[in-house]
Amino acid sequence: MPVLWESGAMTDRGLRLSRALLIAGFVLASLNLRPALAGVSPVLSEIMADLGLSAAGGGAITTVMVVCLGVLAPLAPLLARRFGLDRTLLAGLLILAAGVALRAAGSVPALYAGAAVAGTAIAIMNVVMPAVVKQHFPSQVGLFTSVYVSGLVLGAAVASGLAVPLERAGGYGWREVTAMAAVPAVAAAVLWLPQALRRPAPGGGAPRSFRAVLGSRVTWAVTAYMGLQSLTFYIVLAWVPTILRDAGLPADQAGYMLGLTNLAQIAATLTVPVLAGRARSQVPHVTVAALLTIVGYVGVLAAPAVVPWLWMIVLGLGQGASIALALLIIALRAPDPASVTALSAVAQSAGYVLAALGPFLIGVLRESSGGWTLPLLAGLGACGLQLAAGFLAGRPVAAGAERARPATVTEQG
């Protein structure tokens, strides 16, 4: 009996250790979803000066990565079907580390090639993370969606906030600072290795899942919601500091306001998916998130310099809730990890391509109109479309409404 008890105790300890490694690896992986993107802009002027890049050439570093997020997202379901979700996530982390290191090698070709490699890795990880939640935490989808979306936002905030202080404190150049993003990627890969070494779960047939989701009306509602909330977010990310500076705020205060938006996003991503994940319908949540975003846009349009901190908090809450809800709905509306991966690939591929157009079109409107009224009104129009798409994506699917087979997009998975 003592031997059996001891064996059982060791088994329990082993299970607890395995669970702890799973959660730790998952959390650290989530923190790697944005630093490679967010860490470039604080040192962009130094990169341009060092390599002799124009403004367009400097902006192309991030553009290459964002385009990869959309165009290469469909690779993820094929890799997951062949190798399993856990091994695909491990591969994404290792490719990310390699891309970041290549980008910092010091030549212009390496800069853009590394950006493309890193963008490919992030595209793969973006798609598989909702499916990893579905596979490993099927009864806690809301909670672990909250965990990884919060990690995504926090990773971006830390990378953008620490780039210049690390550069100054350590006497580093842009190469060393941007290469540091490879360190957490390798650490996450080490923690995730035990999951990847296990026998892969059945892939569930990515082609079958693709056919099913492409034939579902819910897929296109989810895709529209993902794309429109991303578009309204990237408009704010790209232009709000300039809007506030044009309204009379000093440059440093305009930058702080964008940072305040990021903090407010974390508050939303920590709470909203947990609450919305328990509900049968997410319509009330997407409605509130869209209305908060609209109020923030209206505030920036009507009185940008009066209480800018209030508009930034409201925008952060609305947009943080929106991205969290988009990723939560992807996990809830498909019944199994393979279908989640396929739905995630479709929604994020089209979504990021649409989002990449937002800042450019707003810039065109600003240049043609000579002010910010028309661009912000266009942003408000996109918020209205986001609300409509969220209503369709957030409501539960009525029984029999979709005629696709059981592997199709469904109500709650």
Side-chain angles (χ1 to χ4, degrees), residues 19 132-142 144 332 337 412-413:
R19 179 75 172 180
V132 168
V133 171
K134 191 80 168 184
Q135 176 171 290
H136 288 290
F137 313 105
S139 62
Q140 298 173 294
V141 169
F144 282 93
L332 291 179
Q412 289 273 7

Side-chain angles (χ1 to χ4, degrees), residues 5 44 67 71 81 94 112 130 132 153 155 160 166 180-181 190 207 234 250 288 299 309 345 352 357 373 378 386:
W5 179 87
L44 183 57
V67 169
V71 173
R81 180 173 181 258
L94 294 175
Y112 291 118
V132 168
V153 175
S160 59
L166 283 173
M180 287 179 185
V190 171
Y234 278 105
V288 172
W309 57 269
Y352 280 112
L357 295 175
T373 299
Q386 174 188 327

Side-chain angles (χ1 to χ4, degrees), residues 20 26 91 93 101 174 216-217 220 269 319:
F26 177 78
L93 290 165
W174 69 265
S216 168
R217 287 172 293 178
W220 302 109
T269 57
Q319 295 187 319

Side-chain angles (χ1 to χ4, degrees), residues 83-108:
F83 301 107
L85 281 171
D86 294 336
R87 293 178 183 178
T88 300
L89 179 57
L90 176 67
L93 290 165
L94 294 175
I95 293 169
L96 175 62
V100 167
L102 176 60
R103 190 179 62 182
S107 69
V108 173

Side-chain angles (χ1 to χ4, degrees), residues 42-302:
V43 294
L44 183 57
S45 60
E46 297 171 35
I47 296 174
M48 293 165 57
D50 186 31
L51 298 180
L53 298 177
S54 65
I61 302 168
T62 300
T63 299
V64 165
M65 299 182 72
V66 174
V67 169
C68 287
L69 297 188
V71 173
L72 298 178
L75 285 176
L78 303 178
L79 293 173
R81 180 173 181 258
R82 176 66 178 84
F83 301 107
L85 281 171
D86 294 336
R87 293 178 183 178
T88 300
L89 179 57
L90 176 67
L93 290 165
L94 294 175
I95 293 169
L96 175 62
V100 167
L102 176 60
R103 190 179 62 182
S107 69
V108 173
L111 179 71
Y112 291 118
V117 172
T120 301
I122 297 170
I124 292 169
M125 294 192 293
N126 275 346
V127 170
V128 301
M129 286 297 275
V132 168
V133 171
K134 191 80 168 184
Q135 176 171 290
H136 288 290
F137 313 105
S139 62
Q140 298 173 294
V141 169
L143 173 61
F144 282 93
T145 298
S146 170
V147 168
Y148 100 79
V149 180
S150 298
L152 181 154
V153 175
L154 181 61
V158 170
S160 59
L162 290 184
V164 174
L166 283 173
E167 190 178 37
R168 291 173 178 171
Y172 301 123
W174 69 265
R175 293 176 178 81
E176 292 84 1
V177 169
T178 57
M180 287 179 185
V183 175
V186 172
V190 171
L191 283 177
W192 195 251
L193 187 61
Q195 315 306 322
L197 291 177
R198 294 191 175 95
R199 179 188 291 261
R208 177 172 60 91
S209 298
F210 261 126
R211 288 194 298 271
V213 300
L214 288 174
S216 168
R217 287 172 293 178
V218 175
T219 295
W220 302 109
V222 173
T223 299
Y225 182 61
M226 181 74 193
L228 288 163
Q229 67 81 27
S230 294
L231 184 147
T232 58
F233 167 75
Y234 278 105
I235 289 172
V236 170
L237 185 68
W239 289 112
V240 154
T242 303
I243 294 170
L244 295 178
R245 288 175 65 180
D246 288 351
L249 264 69
D252 58 346
Q253 289 187 29
Y256 296 151
M257 290 298 104
L258 188 59
L260 182 60
T261 302
N262 290 330
L263 291 176
Q265 286 177 30
I266 294 173
T269 57
L270 282 172
T271 55
V272 172
V274 178
L275 299 174
R278 298 171 184 162
R280 183 170 182 268
S281 171
Q282 286 73 48
V283 169
H285 305 85
V286 298
T287 301
V288 172
L291 290 176
L292 285 170
T293 304
I294 289 170
V295 170
Y297 264 84
V298 170
V300 173
L301 172 62

